[in-house]
């Protein structure tokens, strides 16, 4: 009887997980579609003719009309959007860049490694600093460390990321000459060295809300009965923290991090422009200034897909750590 009950419970949990997986996948597709819809129509509502932007104001009317037909911008917006969707889903084609004359997908993939490296370093810095500061604040509740960790982020959280980047350049690159002013140095070490200051800049705005969330959760778990029992059993504090406390406090902070992921990606694109890093962000600003709408669409689409994938993986990890989050 007990074995049948266990099998039935496992079937129920698997059914719930499959339902959650299906709903999450459908929501992810909806997010990507809405991003595609918003970017497609917003960039076409901006005044100006893409054909004129490419050929120049002194081009003949015949050449402008020919380019319009090639780009398909002479069609109604609804037909343009349907063609855009069919090219993506049937051929994986996001269009040809108006400025560079090559596939926008090729351009994004060419510059994506730099942006992914910067975002990855920013994520690592964010997680390490968040765990460290939250641990210090929670274990020194109402002490000097706790007050400093809670007060200082309150002043820094509202600072724009580009302003923080310029401030860091003045301090660490121009005044103290610890890091390069901008660009990327040659070699693996030079690449990583050049990415440190931009990565710190990106993570700067992500850390305060995560620290507050993890600190509050850590305080709740540290005062829980099972933690008191573990301490009474003379289990080493480090083992209690990493195996029990951090695991129970991890899920809410992970969910908050997945929500803030889009801000981190947006900050990465802005910081690339500030530090002169040749990545997707700098490519995006050039595409916007040149009204290269196929390239803007491609960048927005791939960024949305990346955010959706990472958020989906974060949800999976959260369910793995705490199955109660399903549903």
């Amino acid at each position: 009887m007990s074995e049948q009950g266990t099998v039935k419970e496992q079937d129920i949990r698997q059914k719930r997980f499959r339902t959650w997986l299906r709903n999450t996948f459908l929501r992810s597709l909806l997010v990507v579609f809405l991003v595609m819809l918003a970017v497609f129509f917003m960039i076409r509502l901006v005044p100006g003719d893409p054909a004129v932007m490419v050929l120049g104001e002194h081009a003949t009317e015949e050449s402008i009309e020919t380019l319009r037909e090639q780009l398909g911008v002479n069609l109604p917006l609804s037909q343009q959007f349907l063609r855009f969707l069919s090219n993506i889903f049937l051929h994986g084609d996001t269009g040809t860049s108006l400025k560079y004359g090559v596939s926008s997908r090729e351009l994004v993939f060419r510059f994506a490694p730099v942006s992914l490296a910067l975002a990855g370093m920013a994520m690592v810095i964010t997680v390490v600093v968040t765990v460290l500061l939250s641990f210090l604040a929670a274990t020194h509740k109402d002490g000097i460390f706790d007050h400093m960790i809670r007060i200082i982020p309150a002043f820094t959280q509202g600072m724009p990321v580009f302003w923080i980047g310029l401030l860091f350049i003045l301090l660490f690159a121009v005044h103290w000459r610890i890091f390069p002013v901008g660009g990327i140095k040659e070699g693996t070490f030079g690449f990583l060295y050049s990415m440190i200051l931009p990565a710190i800049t990106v993570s700067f705005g992500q850390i305060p809300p995560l620290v507050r969330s993890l600190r509050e959760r850590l305080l709740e778990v540290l005062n829980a009965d099972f933690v008191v029992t573990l301490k009474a059993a003379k289990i080493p504090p480090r083992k209690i923290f990493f195996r029990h406390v951090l695991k129970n406090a991890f899920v809410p902070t992970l969910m908050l991090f997945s929500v803030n992921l889009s801000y981190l990606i947006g900050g990465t694109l802005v910081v690339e422009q500030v530090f002169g890093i040749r990545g997707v962000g700098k490519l995006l600003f050039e595409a916007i200034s040149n009204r290269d709408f196929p390239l803007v669409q491609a960048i927005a689409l791939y960024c949305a897909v990346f955010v959706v994938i990472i958020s989906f993986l974060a949800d999976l990890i959260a369910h793995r750590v705490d199955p109660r989050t399903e549903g």
Side-chain angles (χ1 to χ4, degrees), residues 75 93 99 123 173 208 280:
L75 300 174
D93 182 19
K99 178 181 178 181
M123 289 181 189
V280 175

Side-chain angles (χ1 to χ4, degrees), residues 106-161:
E106 178 184 339
L107 286 171
V108 173
F109 286 177
R110 184 189 306 172
F111 292 100
V114 175
S115 300
L116 290 176
L118 177 57
M121 289 184 65
M123 289 181 189
V124 172
I125 293 173
T126 300
V127 171
V128 172
V129 175
T130 296
V131 172
L132 178 61
L133 294 182
S134 301
F135 173 75
L136 289 174
T139 54
H140 298 79
K141 186 176 182 297
D142 297 328
I144 183 65
F145 287 109
D146 188 23
H147 288 300
M148 290 179 60
I149 291 171
R150 283 189 295 171
I151 292 174
I152 294 178
F155 293 98
T156 60
Q157 187 176 359
M159 297 180 181
V161 66

Side-chain angles (χ1 to χ4, degrees), residues 79-111:
Q79 294 185 23
Q80 293 184 44
F81 184 64
L82 292 176
R83 177 183 292 185
F84 173 64
L85 291 180
S86 64
N87 287 336
I88 290 178
F89 290 108
L90 298 180
H91 309 289
D93 182 19
T94 52
T96 302
S97 170
L98 302 182
K99 178 181 178 181
Y100 298 97
V102 297
S103 172
S104 57
R105 177 182 57 190
E106 178 184 339
L107 286 171
V108 173
F109 286 177
R110 184 189 306 172
F111 292 100

Side-chain angles (χ1 to χ4, degrees), residues 80 85 131 154 162 210-212 216 226 247 257 301 315:
Q80 293 184 44
L85 291 180
V131 172
F162 67 88
L210 295 176
V211 169
R212 286 199 301 268
E216 294 298 326
F226 78 93
K247 178 181 178 181
F257 178 77
L301 176 60
D315 288 341

Side-chain angles (χ1 to χ4, degrees), residues 279-293:
V280 175
K282 197 166 183 61
L283 188 67
L284 175 62
F285 280 94
E286 292 179 357
I288 293 174
S289 61
N290 293 307
R291 204 165 182 269
D292 191 347
F293 63 85

Side-chain angles (χ1 to χ4, degrees), residues 27-36 39 261-262 265 269 296-312:
R27 286 197 301 267
S28 301
L29 288 180
L30 179 61
V31 170
V32 174
F33 176 78
L34 292 177
V35 170
M36 294 166 55
V39 173
L261 181 63
S262 58
I265 299 300
L269 301 182
V296 174
Q297 289 173 170
I299 294 174
L301 176 60
Y302 287 118
C303 286
V305 171
F306 177 75
V307 171
V308 166
I309 291 175
I310 298 300
S311 299
F312 180 74

